[in-house]
Each structure stands twice: as C-alpha cells, then as structure tokens.
Amino acid sequence: MAKDLAVELEDRPGTLADLGEALGNAGVNIDGGCGFPVGGRATIHVLVEDAGAARKAIEGAGLSVTDERDVLLLDVTDKPGELGGIARRMADAGVNIDLVYLSARGQLVLGVDDLNRARSA
C-alpha cells in the first residue's frame, strides 16, 4: 500500500538533494511528492511503497520524518472539473481532504481523515 511520508527539511540549498539521494541510495523510488517552505523550514511529502525502508534511509541521513500515513490513490482523467467532482463526492460523504498532489503516474493522491469512507465515496 502506498504511504505518504512527511519530512521536515531546512529551507536551504541541498536539503532536497540530501533527501533524494538518501532514498535513491537505499533503492527507494519516489512515486510522487510535493513540498512547501514556511518560516525557514520546508515540509516535503513523498509517496513510497516501502515506508520502512524509506524511513530508515531518511532518518539515517539525519533527516526527520514527521508523519507517515496511508493515502488514497485515484486514477483521474485530465479534464476540467475532475478535481472538483472528486472533492465534492468526498465532501458529500463527510470526508475532509487535508493533502492533495499528483503521483508520478498521474494519479491523484489524497490524504483524508477517514480512508474507508473516502474509498466508498
């Protein structure tokens, strides 16, 4: 099952390279991700299949995994309104979306407060 790991980095040159190299050297593929800086720090989300190996590699590089969670992967069509329709179905089912990005394969990655209800929606 795909896992999203949140990694906290300093907002400076080289820290993303450190993360990517640590995962690459451990043979862990990054299947998707996103990131954003706030106040001198950056939170980077990486989508991986082997969370244990990823966590070991990240922490072995002196970086900090701040969250690990299952996420919902959805095949989507590249057309106007696709995200809105999916988000509306989730909202109508009472599911809160707190993370969204695209995978390397073009799947929509959703972090939600109720994975079972989200799958049903």
Side-chain angles (χ1 to χ4, degrees), residues 17-52:
D18 294 341
L19 173 63
E21 289 169 348
L23 291 171
N25 290 338
V28 175
N29 191 49
I30 300 171
D31 297 321
C34 66
F36 53 91
V38 175
R41 305 294 294 171
T43 298
I44 305 296
H45 289 265
V46 290
L47 182 68
V48 297
E49 281 296 321
D50 188 345

Side-chain angles (χ1 to χ4, degrees), residues 46-115:
V46 290
L47 182 68
V48 297
E49 281 296 321
D50 188 345
R55 180 182 282 276
K56 183 177 178 182
I58 292 166
E59 292 173 348
L63 304 173
S64 177
V65 175
T66 59
D67 190 33
E68 177 180 327
R69 67 196 286 194
D70 293 326
V71 289
L72 184 63
L73 298 178
L74 298 173
D75 292 320
V76 293
T77 304
D78 183 12
K79 67 177 185 180
E82 186 76 351
L83 176 61
I86 291 167
R88 177 57 54 208
R89 284 195 305 277
M90 296 294 166
D92 290 348
V95 175
N96 187 49
I97 300 169
D98 58 21
L99 176 67
V100 61
Y101 59 92
L102 291 175
S103 77
R105 294 184 181 99
Q107 293 175 298
L108 187 64
V109 180
L110 296 178
V112 296
D113 64 349
D114 188 327
L115 203 52

